[in-house]
Amino acid sequence: MTRSIVLFDVDGTLTIPRQKIKPEMITFLEELHSHVDIGIVGGSDLPKMQEQLSTDILNYDFIDYIFSENGLVAHHKGTCFHKKNIAQHLGENTIKRLINFCLRYIADLDIPIKRGTFVEYRNGMLNVSPIGRNCSQSERDAFAIYDSQHHILKKMVSALKLEFQDVGLKFSIGGQISFDVFPKGWDKTYCLRFLTEYDHIYFFGDKTHEGGNDYEIFQSPLTEGYTVTSPDDTIRQCKQLFPESF
């Protein structure tokens, strides 16, 4: 028998960005699991994923793998089996240099509002938000519209690429208000090293364009990638692909 696993991004794929998962999506995942294994791979840390997906997500029997921070923190059936730290990999001097540059850049940035937590240190990456992660949902939505017109995130990423071209970093825009900074190879393809027993790996994500945080895993020769536009679109495409589960 062949073994298949379906990997899902979180924001824009299983949930509306930063919103809680809906009951119908939980039901859909339970039904899908009758024929394939399921994994969730997100750029956020585990507590943020649990805020959206449920505090009990590690114990759901229909979720086989949870890859938080692109798989730098990996759980299988509720048990953590892998964890890697960006500070140990890059060194404290590079981390300080990165954070100092980001804070100086944001301090000089003229945007409508700023809140707090502009640089969030995670186990496997830095998450950088010009508006600050403490913004409200309405402020988040407004910034997303503003950024689509003024390209604040893309311009900051370009500045970082120029400044840190000696370090070997990747920059990935995900969600509405921020981008991730991590060593090359630490994108979402990182999780694929733990899935070698599968014959087929399907991936569903919304940020599959170049520069988006789903791009590398979507393009990987190890996966069969699908671009979605919303949680409803995720369900629709999966039901077409795996009709035997429903």
Side-chain angles (χ1 to χ4, degrees):
M1 291 182 60
T2 60
R3 293 194 64 191
S4 299
I5 186 169
V6 184
L7 299 177
F8 294 99
D9 166 53
V10 181
D11 277 354
T13 303
L14 294 181
T15 74
I16 301 299
R18 292 306 304 152
Q19 300 297 300
K20 291 186 179 297
I21 195 168
K22 292 183 177 180
E24 54 264 36
M25 180 61 78
I26 294 290
T27 299
F28 156 75
L29 292 174
E30 289 181 291
E31 293 174 343
L32 180 65
H33 193 251
S34 64
H35 282 84
V36 294
D37 286 356
I38 292 176
I40 299 175
V41 52
S44 295
D45 58 24
L46 183 61
K48 285 186 177 61
M49 291 177 69
Q50 289 175 309
E51 284 177 14
Q52 292 180 255
L53 302 176
S54 168
T55 54
D56 294 326
I57 192 67
L58 291 177
N59 300 318
Y60 285 174
D61 58 8
F62 57 89
I63 304 294
D64 299 281
Y65 287 92
I66 297 285
F67 297 114
S68 53
E69 302 184 49
N70 293 347
L72 272 297
V73 180
H75 288 77
H76 178 244
K77 293 296 187 182
T79 300
C80 182
F81 66 91
H82 180 82
K83 193 172 186 179
K84 201 159 187 177
N85 185 277
I86 188 174
Q88 293 173 346
H89 182 81
L90 293 179
E92 288 297 344
N93 286 337
T94 299
I95 292 292
K96 286 189 293 184
R97 182 182 158 205
L98 263 169
I99 292 174
N100 289 342
F101 182 90
C102 289
L103 292 178
R104 281 194 297 266
Y105 186 100
I106 292 171
D108 292 334
L109 193 59
D110 184 17
I111 56 177
I113 63 169
K114 294 179 183 178
R115 292 299 178 249
T117 311
F118 300 104
V119 180
E120 183 176 81
Y121 176 85
R122 298 176 182 172
N123 196 71
M125 67 183 69
L126 297 179
N127 179 263
V128 182
S129 175
I131 186 178
R133 297 196 62 87
N134 292 348
C135 62
S136 67
Q137 185 61 49
S138 61
E139 291 166 341
R140 171 187 290 267
D141 294 339
F143 177 81
I145 296 171
Y146 183 85
D147 184 59
S148 69
Q149 299 167 346
H150 299 278
H151 311 295
I152 303 300
L153 296 178
K154 287 183 179 179
K155 289 177 182 176
M156 188 170 180
V157 165
S158 295
L160 279 159
K161 285 181 177 178
L162 184 63
E163 178 69 21
F164 292 92
Q165 52 189 309
D166 60 311
V167 178
L169 296 173
K170 288 281 288 185
F171 305 88
S172 183
I173 297 173
Q176 296 174 296
I177 62 168
S178 66
F179 59 89
D180 298 326
V181 184
F182 47 84
K184 287 183 177 177
W186 286 25
D187 52 62
K188 286 185 178 178
T189 59
Y190 189 93
C191 74
L192 299 178
R193 67 190 64 195
F194 307 119
L195 304 176
T196 55
E197 74 270 26
Y198 291 98
D199 302 290
H200 299 290
I201 302 174
Y202 303 88
F203 173 76
F204 288 80
D206 66 317
K207 293 291 192 301
T208 57
H209 56 277
E210 189 168 4
N213 66 349
D214 297 325
Y215 176 74
E216 288 82 6
I217 191 169
F218 175 79
Q219 290 285 346
S220 171
L222 300 178
T223 68
E224 185 174 316
Y226 294 84
T227 302
V228 300
T229 58
S230 67
D232 288 342
D233 189 40
T234 299
I235 293 175
R236 181 187 64 79
Q237 290 196 45
C238 278
K239 285 186 174 181
Q240 290 178 346
L241 189 62
F242 307 105
E244 67 277 6
S245 296
F246 305 97

